[in-house]
Amino acid sequence: MPKLKVLDMAGKEVGEIELADNIFGAEVNTAVLHAAVRTYLMNQRQGTQSTLTRSEVSGGGKKPWRQKGTGRARQGSTRAPQWIHGGIAHGPKPRDYRLSLNKKVRRAATFSALSSKAQNGEIIVIDSITTDEYKTKTMVNMLSAVGAKKKSLVVLPEVDMKVIRSMSNIPGVKTVQANMISVYDILNCDTFIMAKAAAEKIEEVYAK
């Protein structure tokens, strides 16, 4: 089982934690990681882009000139794609980009992402992440004390608005609850910071 030091918010070591081997010590599968990240990014797309075809552009009902005898190419409408202000040929239309992964692949991707962070020494466990007031400076000092890098994902066991609001103004820092972590967020951060209770919550969620 991977063993990590447990720090307090001042950066001092206060204990040690053993992480579940099947979650934080699994073999990293790059194929499922790729599938999970691609699915996440595709599902962020709105798919609302739309262009007008020649049948949807107003005007163009009159034939520009007669069919024969002018020496010019025959034209049927000024709203054909080759005309200025004409319709768009083969342009984008609203569509659904959503993809889905089955449960086993999602779990395997999550385990691979967490395990890669553990193998690379990019996980920091903090005894408790709390604050009595809405103060960004408190969180900045905490991140500095524990050695967090610029892009950090802070995992909380449950919603704590004082912590979330205090971190919301720090560039590159994102907070998330233990049961809401995504593979993309895990891989996209340089430092994966979690409260000790959040680590236990993650193990509880994925123990099933």
Side-chain angles (χ1 to χ4, degrees):
M1 288 187 174
K3 288 186 179 181
L4 294 177
K5 298 176 182 177
V6 177
L7 308 177
D8 62 13
M9 292 182 62
K12 296 178 182 179
E13 184 178 344
V14 293
E16 194 174 63
I17 185 173
E18 284 192 4
L19 301 175
D21 198 47
N22 65 318
I23 299 175
F24 294 92
E27 183 180 350
V28 178
N29 188 328
T30 55
V32 296
L33 288 176
H34 176 270
V37 170
R38 180 171 179 268
T39 299
Y40 175 87
L41 293 175
M42 291 295 283
N43 291 347
Q44 303 307 301
R45 299 187 67 174
Q46 290 184 321
T48 55
Q49 70 276 37
S50 182
T51 53
L52 299 180
T53 64
R54 61 183 295 171
S55 65
E56 296 170 319
V57 179
S58 63
K62 181 183 177 182
K63 188 175 175 67
W65 50 76
R66 68 183 191 224
Q67 183 81 347
K68 295 178 179 292
T70 65
R72 290 179 287 185
R74 55 194 176 188
Q75 301 290 332
S77 170
T78 56
R79 296 300 179 260
Q82 72 271 21
W83 285 75
I84 295 174
H85 305 304
I88 303 298
H90 311 297
K93 282 292 183 183
R95 57 170 286 192
D96 184 9
Y97 288 95
R98 291 192 68 81
L99 298 175
S100 63
L101 291 175
N102 63 51
K103 185 177 180 180
K104 286 185 178 180
V105 175
R106 290 200 307 269
R107 286 171 64 89
T110 302
F111 296 168
S112 289
L114 292 171
S115 298
S116 71
K117 289 296 176 185
Q119 291 175 14
N120 295 330
E122 296 174 350
I123 294 181
I124 297 174
V125 180
I126 299 177
D127 185 38
S128 179
I129 303 175
T130 58
T131 180
D132 295 328
E133 54 186 342
Y134 295 94
K135 194 146 188 164
T136 300
K137 188 175 181 180
T138 302
M139 296 294 108
V140 170
N141 292 339
M142 184 269 288
L143 293 172
S144 177
V146 300
K149 296 181 181 177
K150 187 171 183 180
K151 290 180 71 175
S152 298
L153 180 67
V154 180
V155 185
L156 305 173
E158 55 192 15
V159 176
D160 185 334
M161 291 311 300
K162 287 184 178 178
V163 174
I164 294 171
R165 291 281 180 86
S166 297
M167 288 193 174
S168 63
N169 289 331
I170 307 175
V173 177
K174 181 176 181 179
T175 56
V176 69
Q177 286 71 59
N179 60 344
M180 298 291 289
I181 56 175
S182 71
V183 172
Y184 178 83
D185 286 337
I186 296 170
L187 296 178
N188 192 43
C189 69
D190 298 318
T191 311
F192 184 82
I193 302 170
M194 57 182 173
K196 185 179 179 181
E200 295 167 354
K201 188 78 174 284
I202 290 172
E203 294 182 355
E204 179 186 338
V205 169
Y206 290 104
K208 301 176 184 178

